[in-house]
Amino acid sequence: MPVAEALTQILASAPAAPETETVYLEQAVARVLAESPTSPVAVPPADNSSMDGYAVRSQDCQNPATTLPISQRIPAGSAPLPLEPGTAARIFTGAEMPAGADAVVIQENATEADGHVAFSGPINAGSNVRPKGQDIALGAEVIYKGRRLQPADIGLLASTGIDSVRVYRPIKVAIISTGDELVEPGSSLGAGKIYNSNRFVLTTLLAKLGCEVVNIGRVQDDLAATTDALERAAEQADCILSTGGVSVGEEDYVKAAVEALGALQLWRMRIKPGKPLAFGHVKQIPFFGLPGNPASSLITFTLFVRPFLLKMQGAHIEPPLRLSVAAGFERSSAGSREEYMRARYENGVVHIHQNQSSGMLSSASWANGLVVVYPHQTVALGDLVEFIPFSELLN
């Protein structure tokens, strides 16, 4: 199945977001809003000065050379008096404008002496003034429901006086590692064994998404053991991820176990790497069977699992940013699958790693994103290609 069609079907199967909870802003970053907060105040709450200078009535400053007495001094945080006609007020950045004033002359364009200030006119109304509600109007929706909160969002909410928000609770995701060859880091590496890197990649990716990880552990290449692990995962988690065992080899048991306990909706995508990706349900719990090769597992997680889990947590899904950049490589032969190549974008040019083997995780560590090469597409040096930064996929 083509990538776009598979992703559409997968996202359409995402269950509704779970229950909600209220958290303070300090704990809300990366959480998904379950409400659309409205501002109890205008931001800024009053007209204020955007510069250090002098608050004036523009009508008093229409002569080519104007000198006005200074009637008051207004630092930020103080309550000003109304501006007396024919006078100026010394004012500082962020300070509230006095009633009657409609402009600020910056201090670089003014000369103060003997309690008076001189500057050249005319002065335009509104100059260097930030009007009340310029950022957020009273009662306006601050951020929309379904937004995954970023640091700037937290600051925006704080600027309105909101100190807590209602968000969706984190979902639980079970990880099952299949394969007799796997051992955990820290153990001795016997003949025919490899260290289980996939579990660590997935655990950290899930943590960045705000998910709670349920580690089911390593499962032997055995149908009964695989079936038992899937049953335990379905009892404990909102979604299940397995790595390995989803291909067509004699020692691949995940597909059969899933079909015995539920159903597979999708199996085998028109993608490289990651062709044996599987998606379905185990006892009504969503299930992803990721390839065992580390690079394939990472790439399929970012493209399919990440948006699915975000939608499960109530997030509004936005496609990742794709940049059109110059290719620093050539591809003379066209493939039949949509290929995601580990690549590094620097100084306006993107280069691919020399080894695109699905078993190589070092190439992903070297890369800062993925180049997309579509079926039947060739690439010449300097051609524009699509590049997806990892910052769009791993956050």
Side-chain angles (χ1 to χ4, degrees), residues 48 64 83 103 125 139 162 170 173 203 237 254 276 283 300 329 354:
N48 69 86
L83 185 67
I162 294 173
V173 181
T203 297
V254 172
K283 295 186 174 182
T300 51
F329 63 95
Q354 61 182 359

Side-chain angles (χ1 to χ4, degrees), residues 95-109:
E96 183 175 330
M97 291 287 289
D102 63 0
V104 172
V105 181
I106 63 174
Q107 61 186 20
E108 291 85 349
N109 294 340

Side-chain angles (χ1 to χ4, degrees), residues 48-385:
N48 69 86
S49 177
S50 64
M51 304 287 284
D52 290 346
Y54 299 86
V56 298
R57 300 195 314 167
S58 58
Q59 66 190 64
D60 293 337
C61 306
Q62 298 306 305
N63 294 329
T66 301
T67 300
L68 299 175
I70 299 172
S71 57
Q72 60 177 307
R73 183 177 183 274
I74 312 172
S78 65
L81 299 172
L83 185 67
E84 298 176 13
T87 71
R90 181 71 165 113
I91 196 167
F92 297 88
T93 303
E96 183 175 330
M97 291 287 289
D102 63 0
V104 172
V105 181
I106 63 174
Q107 61 186 20
E108 291 85 349
N109 294 340
T111 303
E112 182 179 334
D114 300 323
H116 289 70
V117 60
F119 36 79
S120 298
I123 306 300
N124 296 321
S127 294
N128 304 307
V129 175
R130 293 185 290 222
K132 176 182 178 179
Q134 181 185 49
D135 195 5
I136 305 171
L138 172 65
E141 184 178 293
V142 183
I143 305 176
Y144 58 84
K145 178 182 177 180
R147 169 76 173 177
R148 186 167 175 243
L149 294 170
Q150 303 302 306
D153 301 327
I154 301 299
L156 185 63
L157 289 163
S159 74
T160 70
I162 294 173
D163 68 342
S164 59
V165 288
R166 188 160 57 92
V167 295
Y168 293 106
R169 75 159 174 83
I171 61 173
K172 295 180 180 180
V173 181
I175 298 178
I176 301 173
S177 304
T178 70
D180 292 339
E181 74 278 12
L182 298 178
V183 296
E184 293 299 303
S187 305
S188 59
L189 198 63
K193 304 295 184 180
I194 60 172
Y195 287 119
N196 183 7
S197 61
N198 281 333
R199 181 172 75 84
F200 289 85
V201 172
L202 295 178
T203 297
T204 51
L205 286 170
L206 291 170
K208 293 183 75 172
L209 291 177
C211 300
E212 295 181 14
V213 177
V214 179
N215 180 25
I216 301 299
R218 182 183 68 83
V219 179
Q220 296 178 336
D221 289 323
D222 174 82
L223 181 58
T226 304
T227 303
D228 175 70
L230 287 170
E231 287 184 310
R232 287 187 284 118
E235 292 172 356
Q236 300 178 56
D238 302 300
C239 185
I240 304 168
L241 305 183
S242 74
T243 55
V246 291
S247 192
V248 292
E250 294 181 5
E251 297 297 315
D252 295 323
Y253 297 100
V254 172
K255 181 175 182 288
V258 171
E259 291 176 328
L261 297 171
L264 277 181
Q265 289 178 235
L266 304 171
W267 181 55
R268 304 182 74 180
M269 311 295 174
R270 196 177 299 164
I271 186 174
K272 183 180 180 181
K275 180 179 178 182
L277 174 71
F279 173 73
H281 290 81
V282 174
K283 295 186 174 182
Q284 307 306 313
I285 302 300
F287 163 83
F288 284 90
L290 303 180
N293 282 319
S296 298
S297 179
L298 171 66
I299 290 171
T300 51
F301 180 96
T302 63
L303 297 178
F304 298 100
V305 182
R306 178 181 181 273
F308 182 87
L309 295 179
L310 288 175
K311 188 174 181 182
M312 275 192 71
Q313 295 182 88
H316 174 72
I317 304 302
E318 298 178 355
L321 177 68
R322 295 180 181 229
L323 306 177
S324 184
V325 300
F329 63 95
E330 294 181 308
R331 295 276 291 183
S332 57
S333 58
S336 60
R337 288 185 281 167
E338 193 166 310
E339 188 167 1
Y340 290 79
M341 308 174 73
R342 283 138 281 167
R344 189 167 188 87
Y345 176 64
E346 291 179 319
N347 301 319
V349 179
V350 65
H351 300 275
I352 61 172
H353 195 277
Q354 61 182 359
N355 192 328
Q356 293 292 321
S357 167
S358 60
M360 280 194 57
L361 203 53
S362 60
S363 58
S365 179
W366 167 86
N368 58 13
L370 300 173
V371 160
V372 186
V373 178
Y374 291 95
H376 316 300
Q377 178 186 1
T378 59
V379 179
L381 200 66
D383 282 355
L384 293 179
V385 293

